[in-house]
Structure formats: structure tokens, C-alpha cells
């Protein structure tokens, strides 16, 4: 097989936005360009869920906007737009984010002015609310709609139905670690007609006081604990005003009332961008909270615990018989990986990782961690049912030790392994070397049977010889083909990995004047897949194999058989 190459799915358009009351006659939909898109399809719905959407039109791939003309009856009505990209193969992406848009109606009120955060609010001042304000409308009977989107979701969400006050306190499912963005719309009612202003061009950013992110803990060589984290969200100036308190406990469900350190960002941030709190007393679990200039504490960070030391990996099997497991669609059996716990501690569980390269590209292959209780005689075992495994391919494994929180940082060393082959696949792989050797011979390919008599020798591409000898015997012929350490291929075409199949033995044919007969001989294989192949049950008809079975006996397996037709593949 070739070297692996990564691929990506054809992406959806991102950053889809629709104009919000900027025109009386149209709504403009815009999005970010999608690489390899040749066109875009635009759909519109009257529902905020995007349900029952209908096709509006298409634009070429070099365009990233669409103008939807609206009728007078549609003015002021909210529509929801979705955009799909199409590539040159005719594939259609999933939809981008849903975007709300509307057109102004004649007589609509003026745009809200001076939308702002209320004094002392919205910049980490509170753990649960953000207050915004704006200048009151001069239109009689005006009320307001407040919209919000976040750094995690660009779709506008309407927070209010009707509020007549020129301010709003947002307490709706605010989450730590996100920036929130607010816009306001003025609405008046003229009889049965609802007239909406353009949505405010002032976009107000706010966030609640949040704990730090990417918190981790580790043991130092001296036995103490270091906890590190990235500063809580805010501007650099705001972050410089924070202090952080570290609480610890030996019970995951404990009160975490033990404050073990208090540090400030400017004093403890290092060149890696993390804040470091070193030389902490030893506990099992730690949490970090952010404290603002008003001494308000954020909610706590995720709980962290120092990750355990690296496990001691033992081996990954190579072409080994593993009872009770089936081969994959390529005829390859699973690999078993074994390891022991670290010498100095006991992790709670482990994840196993696999790659096709010894030093990069590892991905987790355990859906759930291997629990520490599965230890058997001091050894842990994981069976890798690799549905994508290919013949002649090395796979590389390492193990990550995890604490009770499922956190880990230290990997074991790397070991290589690969699965055994089914009897049929073994014959196919072995036969690649035999067929390559036959191509080098000249006598056996002569058209006249008498011309095939004689002897010749050829060399393997990497090592060894094949000696061909054909002579008359009674009323027929005896052909012997003797192999000595004959080798054609490296594993993965890489000399450092060793020989693929190296064969020693013989494949002999005895035939009558009609070129019918039988074969005998045994080939002993070394290399990636050691074992034996037996020819003693093959029938010859018309000078070629045409019946019977090959005997296959990979090392560690009992002898099996496969049809003569497998040798023809």
C-alpha cells in the first residue's frame, strides 16, 4: 500500500449572515467562500428552525452573496436563510448556519442608538448576568427586541418578545468561557401591522466571570504538585486584574474548601502562555477559580488530578494466532497489545493508541478506557480489531495511563505489531513471491513441452536462488523447482523492516504424456508471516494446477487447506 494521505469532507458555507433591515426592497445573504465550490444554492424558511425551506436560487462559486427581493407584503417579516455549496463532482455540502434576515417596511421606527453595556456590567463583573442599555426611542408605543449570538454560535437568538424599558438584563443560559454579542431592534405597531427598525449596528460584547480553561496538574520530580492553566477570558487588561485561587481535596465529591494557593496573572504567567502555580501541597484533586477586582469568584474550573506515570508496554503480537477472533474483510486477524502498570503508581484506566507510523499520527482506538480491574497476572491486554488493517503493513501502538477523571499525559513507549492472515490470504501473499520467481524463468514458458526440459537457476531480487530442473521420467516428466532463501520483497518496500516472504523448499510436478499428474513438496516461509505451504494435494491437468488444495500452516496455527483456485489469484 501507498503512504496514507489525509482527506477532508466538502465543508458547508460558514459565516452565513442576512441583512437586518438595511433595505426596503431586498434582503442580502452573505457567507464565506468554500474552497472548490462551483456554485451555491440558497433556501429560505419562515420558521426559526429552518423547517419547510424552499429554493430561492443559485449563484456561481466566485460569488459569496445573494440578493433576495421582497414584496411589500413581505416587508418587516423575518426569514431564515440556509446556503449549500456544490462542487465540480456535483456533491452538495450540508447547510451552513441558519441566518435570520428581514427588510424594512415604510414607516419603520429609527434604529436603536448607543447600545452599550451598563456601567459595571458585562465584563466579568458577575457570574450570572449581563446588562445592556440603549437610548430610548422617540416613537410612540415603541418596544424592543434584544438579540444575542456568541463566540460559539453565530446564529441570532431573540431574547425578548416585548420590553418597553431601554435596558435588558440577560440571564438566559449564560455559559462560562463564551463571549456574547448583543443587538437591539425597535418595534412599533400600526394597527395590525408590525413595523421593525433596522437592527442596531452597535454590537455589544460581554461575558460572565469565567474560570480558567485548559487546567492541568502534574507531579514534579521533587514530589510536589504544579497546576497550570490558560487565563480566563477577557481582554489582556482585564485578565491582568484577575487573581486565581486553587482549591484542593482528596475526595472527588469533597467540599474543596482547602485553599492551597492564590496567584495573580501578571506575576505567574510564563512564556508558554500558561499561568503556573508550583510547589503546591499534595492532594488528589484540584480546582481553580477566577477572582475579579471586586473579589467575586467565578464558578470552579473542571476538576483535575495529576496524571499517572507512563505504563510499561510489553508487546504487540506479530502474525500470532489469537483464539476466538475473526479476521477483517482483508483476511487479517486482530493484534493483541499487552502492558503493565507504571512501577510507582496505579492508574485508574488506560487508552490504547495506534498509528501506521512509529512516531506520528496516533489516534485513540479504545472507545472506553481499559479499566484497571481488568489486570490479569499483572498484565493488561487489549485486542485491536482493526477493520482497516492491510496485509504487509506494520502498525504501531502506545498506551496512555489515565487517572480517575480520565486525564492522562504520559504515554508508554511504542511497539509494532500486525495481525495473522487467514489461510486463503496467506496463500495469496506467499504466492506473490512464487509468481515473481516464475516470471524470471525461461524454460517453463516455452510453448513446446520438449523445449521445457533442462535446467536453469535464477536469483531472488533480495536474496536466494531458485533452481529449475525438468527431465523425462518414464512415459512422462518430472519437474523440480528448488528454492533456497529466495526473497523478492521488503516489508512495505522498506529494507529496515526486513523481508516480506523468504522461502526455502520445493514445488515439484510429476505428469504423464498428457500433462496430467500431481504435485508434491513443501515450502518453508520466514519473514513477516512465517509458516509452511504444502503442495501434496494439488492436481495437475493439461500442465497446470486444476484441482485439489494447498495445505497452509502459518506458525501457531494448525494445518488448513485452500482451493487450488486461490493459487490462480
Amino acid at each position: 500500500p501507498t503512504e496514507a494521505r489525509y482527506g477532508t469532507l466538502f465543508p458547508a458555507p460558514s459565516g452565513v449572515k442576512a441583512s437586518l433591515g438595511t433595505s426596503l426592497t431586498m434582503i442580502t445573504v452573505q457567507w464565506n467562500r468554500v474552497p472548490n465550490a462551483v456554485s451555491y444554492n440558497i433556501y429560505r424558511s419562515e420558521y426559526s428552525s429552518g423547517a419547510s425551506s424552499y429554493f430561492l436560487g443559485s449563484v456561481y462559486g466566485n460569488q459569496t452573496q445573494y440578493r433576495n427581493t421582497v414584496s411589500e407584503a413581505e416587508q418587516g417579516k423575518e426569514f431564515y436563510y440556509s446556503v449549500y455549496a456544490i462542487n465540480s463532482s456535483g456533491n452538495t455540502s450540508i447547510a451552513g448556519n441558519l441566518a435570520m434576515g428581514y427588510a424594512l417596511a415604510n414607516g419603520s421606527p429609527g434604529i436603536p442608538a448607543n447600545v452599550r453595556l451598563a456601567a459595571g456590567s458585562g465584563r466579568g463583573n458577575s457570574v450570572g448576568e449581563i446588562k445592556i442599555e440603549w437610548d430610548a426611542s422617540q416613537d410612540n408605543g415603541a418596544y424592543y427586541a434584544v438579540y444575542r449570538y456568541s463566540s460559539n454560535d453565530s446564529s441570532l437568538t431573540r431574547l425578548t418578545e416585548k420590553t418597553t424599558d431601554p435596558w435588558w438584563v440577560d440571564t438566559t443560559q449564560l455559559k462560562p468561557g463564551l463571549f456574547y454579542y448583543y443587538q437591539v431592534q425597535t418595534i412599533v405597531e400600526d394597527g395590525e401591522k408590525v413595523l421593525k427598525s433596522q437592527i442596531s449596528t452597535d454590537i455589544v460584547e460581554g461575558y460572565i466571570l469565567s474560570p480558567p480553561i485548559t487546567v492541568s496538574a502534574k507531579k514534579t520530580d521533587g514530589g510536589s504538585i504544579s497546576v497550570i492553566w490558560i487565563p480566563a477570558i477577557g481582554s489582556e487588561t482585564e485578565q491582568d486584574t484577575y487573581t486565581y485561587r486553587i482549591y484542593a481535596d482528596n475526595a472527588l465529591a469533597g467540599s474543596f474548601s482547602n485553599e492551597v494557593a492564590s496567584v495573580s496573572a501578571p506575576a505567574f504567567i510564563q512564556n508558554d502562555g500558561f499561568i503556573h502555580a508550583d510547589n503546591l501541597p499534595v492532594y488528589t484533586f484540584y480546582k481553580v477559580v477566577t477572582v475579579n477586582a471586586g473579589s467575586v469568584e467565578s464558578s470552579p474550573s473542571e476538576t483535575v488530578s495529576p496524571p499517572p506515570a507512563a505504563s510499561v508496554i510489553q508487546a504487540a503480537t506479530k502474525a500470532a494466532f489469537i483464539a476466538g477472533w475473526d479476521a477483517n474483510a482483508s483476511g487479517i486477524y486482530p493484534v493483541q497489545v499487552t502492558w503493565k502498570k507504571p512501577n510507582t503508581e496505579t492508574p485508574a484506566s488506560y487508552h490504547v493508541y495506534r498509528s501506521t507510523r512509529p512516531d506520528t499520527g496516533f489516534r485513540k482506538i479504545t472507545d472506553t478506557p481499559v479499566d484497571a480491574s481488568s489486570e490479569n497476572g499483572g498484565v493488561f491486554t487489549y485486542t485491536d480489531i482493526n477493520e482497516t488493517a492491510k496485509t504487509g503493513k506494520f502498525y504501531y501502538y502506545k498506551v496512555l495511563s489515565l487517572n480517575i477523571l480520565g486525564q492522562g499525559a504520559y504515554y508508554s513507549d511504542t511497539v509494532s505489531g500486525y495481525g495473522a492472515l487467514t489461510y486463503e490470504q496467506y496463500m495469496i501473499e506467499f504466492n506473490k513471491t512464487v509468481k515473481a520467481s516464475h516470471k524470471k524463468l525461461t524454460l517453463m514458458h516455452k510453448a513446446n513441452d520438449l523445449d521445457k526440459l533442462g535446467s536453469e537457476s535464477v536469483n531472488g531480487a533480495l536474496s536466494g536462488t531458485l533452481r529449475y530442473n525438468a527431465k523425462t521420467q518414464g512415459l512422462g516428466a518430472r519437474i523440480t523447482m528448488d528454492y533456497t532463501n529466495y526473497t523478492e520483497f521488503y516489508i512495505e518496500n522498506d529494507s529496515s523492516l526486513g523481508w516480506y516472504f523468504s522461502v526455502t523448499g520445493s514445488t515439484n510436478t510429476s505428469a504423464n504424456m498428457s500433462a496430467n499428474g500431481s504435485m508434491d513438496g513443501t515450502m518453508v516461509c520466514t519473514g513477516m508471516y512465517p509458516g509452511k505451504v504444502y503442495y501434496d494435494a494439488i492436481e495437475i491437468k493439461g500442465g497446470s494446477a486444476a484441482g485439489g488444495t494447498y495445505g497452509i500452516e502459518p506458525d501457531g496455527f494448525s494445518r488448513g487447506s485452500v482451493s487450488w483456485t486461490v493459487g490462480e489469484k
Side-chain angles (χ1 to χ4, degrees):
T2 64
E3 287 296 314
R5 294 289 183 264
Y6 73 86
T8 59
L9 295 177
F10 185 46
S14 62
V16 183
K17 294 182 179 180
S19 57
L20 301 165
T22 57
S23 168
L24 291 168
T25 59
M26 69 178 60
I27 301 171
T28 302
V29 185
Q30 296 177 302
W31 57 90
N32 296 325
R33 179 181 175 275
V34 176
N36 301 318
V38 297
S39 62
Y40 301 94
N41 288 343
I42 297 87
Y43 287 77
R44 188 176 83 174
S45 171
E46 297 181 10
Y47 303 97
S48 59
S49 64
S52 302
S53 62
Y54 50 92
F55 178 71
L56 285 178
S58 297
V59 295
Y60 290 116
N62 61 349
Q63 300 179 53
T64 55
Q65 68 174 20
Y66 177 86
R67 290 185 173 89
N68 176 208
T69 302
V70 297
S71 66
E72 184 177 351
E74 293 174 327
Q75 290 176 344
K77 188 173 183 178
E78 293 171 354
F79 295 102
Y80 300 86
Y81 295 86
S82 51
V83 182
Y84 297 80
I86 297 92
N87 63 20
S88 58
S89 300
N91 294 317
T92 301
S93 74
I94 62 172
N97 60 283
L98 203 62
M100 185 192 80
Y102 63 93
L104 286 177
N106 286 314
S108 295
I111 183 172
N114 195 22
V115 182
R116 60 197 181 274
L117 288 173
S121 178
R123 302 293 298 182
N125 309 90
S126 165
V127 296
E129 66 176 46
I130 298 172
K131 183 179 181 180
I132 62 170
E133 300 173 336
W134 56 92
D135 293 347
S137 172
Q138 300 303 307
D139 293 281
N140 293 328
Y143 58 91
Y144 308 96
V146 178
Y147 291 88
R148 183 186 79 189
Y149 63 97
S150 74
S151 54
N152 189 51
D153 182 1
S154 61
S155 297
L156 279 176
T157 298
R158 184 167 174 170
L159 300 177
T160 67
E161 286 302 318
K162 289 185 178 182
T163 177
T164 56
D165 297 315
W167 50 266
W168 178 255
V169 179
D170 182 18
T171 58
T172 308
Q173 298 178 336
L174 294 170
K175 295 180 180 179
L178 292 180
F179 288 101
Y180 290 95
Y181 302 92
Y182 298 88
Q183 293 175 275
V184 183
Q185 177 187 64
T186 305
I187 305 172
V188 296
E189 297 181 5
D190 182 8
E192 295 182 357
K193 195 169 186 178
V194 177
L195 301 176
K196 301 174 182 178
S197 75
Q198 178 185 345
I199 203 164
S200 63
T201 53
D202 296 321
I203 301 176
V204 177
E205 179 188 81
Y207 62 91
I208 60 172
L209 183 64
S210 304
I213 58 174
T214 320
V215 182
S216 63
K218 65 178 181 178
K219 294 179 180 178
T220 65
D221 293 338
S224 65
I225 302 295
S226 289
V227 176
I228 68 173
W229 60 89
I230 291 177
I233 64 169
S235 67
E236 288 188 16
T237 301
E238 289 161 346
Q239 289 174 334
D240 286 348
T241 67
Y242 297 153
T243 57
Y244 299 92
R245 293 173 185 159
I246 304 170
Y247 294 93
D249 208 299
N250 284 319
L252 183 57
S255 63
F256 285 85
S257 58
N258 301 306
E259 183 182 333
V260 295
S262 178
V263 301
S264 61
F268 287 84
I269 196 164
Q270 297 190 8
N271 292 333
D272 58 6
F274 285 80
I275 297 172
H276 290 242
D278 300 322
N279 300 315
L280 302 179
V282 177
Y283 284 83
T284 307
F285 304 104
Y286 299 84
K287 294 181 180 181
V288 184
V289 301
T290 307
V291 185
N292 65 17
S295 298
V296 176
E297 279 193 359
S298 72
S299 57
S301 69
E302 63 174 335
T303 304
V304 295
S305 183
S311 61
V312 182
I313 199 163
Q314 302 292 292
T317 55
K318 292 181 170 66
F321 173 71
I322 302 172
W325 297 90
D326 294 328
N328 69 9
S330 298
I332 304 172
Y333 286 100
V335 174
Q336 278 195 345
V337 183
T338 53
W339 67 93
K340 294 182 178 180
K341 70 178 185 179
N343 295 324
T344 56
E345 53 191 309
T346 301
S349 57
Y350 305 87
H351 271 311
V352 182
Y353 289 73
R354 180 184 68 224
S355 177
T356 56
R357 298 183 180 184
D359 48 7
T360 60
F362 283 89
R363 70 178 185 86
K364 185 176 66 178
I365 58 175
T366 38
D367 291 329
T368 57
V370 178
D371 193 87
S373 63
S374 65
E375 184 178 18
N376 185 7
V379 176
F380 295 91
T381 301
Y382 177 75
T383 302
D384 177 24
I385 309 169
N386 183 359
E387 295 296 343
T388 63
K390 303 298 182 185
T391 54
K393 186 74 177 175
F394 269 51
Y395 293 90
Y396 300 89
Y397 297 87
K398 60 184 179 181
V399 177
L400 177 65
S401 301
L402 305 172
N403 59 29
I404 195 173
L405 300 171
Q407 300 164 344
Y410 303 110
Y411 292 89
S412 70
D413 292 334
T414 301
V415 296
S416 62
Y418 50 90
L421 305 180
T422 60
Y423 293 131
E424 181 172 312
Q425 194 63 42
Y426 191 98
M427 181 61 195
I428 292 171
E429 298 305 313
F430 154 80
N431 213 27
K432 292 176 181 177
T433 295
V434 173
K435 289 192 173 199
S437 73
H438 288 178
K439 291 179 180 179
K440 296 182 177 182
L441 296 171
T442 57
L443 292 176
M444 72 176 293
H445 302 299
K446 298 288 187 181
N448 189 300
D449 286 346
L450 290 177
D451 292 338
K452 296 180 180 180
L453 300 177
S455 299
E456 65 176 314
S457 294
V458 294
N459 295 321
L462 303 182
S463 76
T465 58
L466 161 60
R467 179 171 177 76
Y468 169 93
N469 183 51
K471 61 184 180 179
T472 58
Q473 178 175 285
L475 296 178
R478 173 73 171 171
I479 302 171
T480 59
M481 301 179 72
D482 296 312
Y483 292 81
T484 304
N485 296 325
Y486 188 94
T487 312
E488 281 286 333
F489 309 109
Y490 287 120
I491 300 168
E492 298 184 42
N493 295 319
D494 185 343
S495 60
S496 68
L497 298 179
W499 292 338
Y500 191 39
F501 271 85
S502 183
V503 296
T504 298
S506 59
T507 65
N508 309 317
T509 303
S510 296
N512 59 24
M513 295 295 289
S514 299
N516 299 326
S518 61
M519 292 190 73
D520 61 83
T522 301
M523 297 281 271
V524 178
C525 308
T526 57
M528 189 171 182
Y529 300 105
K532 297 178 181 177
V533 178
Y534 301 92
Y535 285 73
D536 52 10
I538 290 294
E539 302 171 11
I540 297 297
K541 297 179 182 179
S544 302
T549 59
Y550 293 98
I552 308 295
E553 189 179 356
D555 280 8
F557 289 69
S558 60
R559 176 171 170 169
S561 61
V562 299
S563 169
W564 69 274
T565 58
V566 177
E568 306 304 305
K569 293 184 178 180

